[in-house]
Amino acid sequence: MECKIVEFTSKGDERGQLVALEQGREIPFPIKRVYYIYDTKTDVERGFHAHKQLEQVAVCVKGSCKFRLFDGIEKMTVELSTPEKGLHIKGMVWREMFDFSPDCVLMVVASLPYDEADYIRDYDKFLEMTKR
Ligand code: TYD
């Protein structure tokens, strides 16, 4: 599985904390887009898709949420609950996000602009594409 938790260095001082994400340092791809998911309603699950090319780093900058990941071989569940860690999602990976805390703000840094053509939303098609 080409997904892993990455740790960020927080520049904390007596005023509080600051994390910086830079292309080529914390983010290992050219940054083309940032979006965030928040105000997620109770028991909502999101995602349910894979991407052909997109690479992402997801950071729960507030609250917590969980990811279910599946690359066709290996399954993994990851909890994000600190702004000091991110989840790097790379390769053809089916992802589902769940257990959002009411205060969760999930920020995602992405390697490409939004493009519906890059999505695989059909689970059977995903299984077919990851079979070989
Ligand atoms: P959706 O793909 O359903 O989100 P998730 O994968 O988190 O469940 O996206 C919700 C809507 O937002 C959908 O109409 C597409 C749109 N959208 C954009 O316009 N730009 C983006 O960068 C993203 C991620 C989604």
Side-chain angles (χ1 to χ4, degrees):
M1 165 101 49
E2 285 186 281
C3 295
K4 61 171 194 292
I5 294 287
V6 285
E7 299 208 12
F8 309 129
T9 302
S10 184
K11 328 253 175 199
D13 58 29
E14 63 286 350
R15 298 169 299 170
Q17 303 294 328
L18 184 154
V19 170
L21 304 180
E22 267 185 50
Q23 174 175 321
R25 290 170 70 95
E26 295 80 6
I27 306 296
F29 49 76
I31 299 169
K32 293 286 166 57
R33 173 168 56 118
V34 176
Y35 62 92
Y36 34 92
I37 293 168
Y38 61 102
D39 271 358
T40 306
K41 304 306 173 212
T42 309
D43 294 333
V44 162
E45 302 203 347
R46 305 193 60 129
F48 296 89
H49 57 71
H51 286 280
K52 295 173 189 159
Q53 300 295 337
L54 188 70
E55 215 176 312
Q56 294 171 305
V57 172
V59 185
C60 202
V61 293
K62 179 87 182 163
S64 64
C65 68
K66 291 178 186 154
F67 278 73
R68 270 183 228 112
L69 304 167
F70 180 48
D71 65 358
I73 300 167
E74 202 183 332
K75 289 189 176 175
M76 197 164 119
T77 300
V78 174
E79 178 169 23
L80 295 180
S81 58
T82 165
E84 296 178 10
K85 285 181 187 174
L87 173 64
H88 183 200
I89 307 174
K90 193 182 172 190
M92 188 100 77
V93 175
W94 188 264
R95 79 281 313 266
E96 300 170 2
M97 295 90 87
F98 64 107
D99 266 6
F100 287 87
S101 63
D103 63 343
C104 177
V105 182
L106 178 64
M107 183 185 73
V108 181
V109 181
S111 65
L112 293 169
Y114 176 72
D115 176 12
E116 192 55 41
D118 189 62
Y119 280 76
I120 302 154
R121 293 192 184 272
D122 184 287
Y123 191 66
D124 290 333
K125 190 178 166 201
F126 165 77
L127 291 178
E128 192 59 39
M129 290 175 84
T130 51
K131 213 148 84 186
R132 72 220 76 195

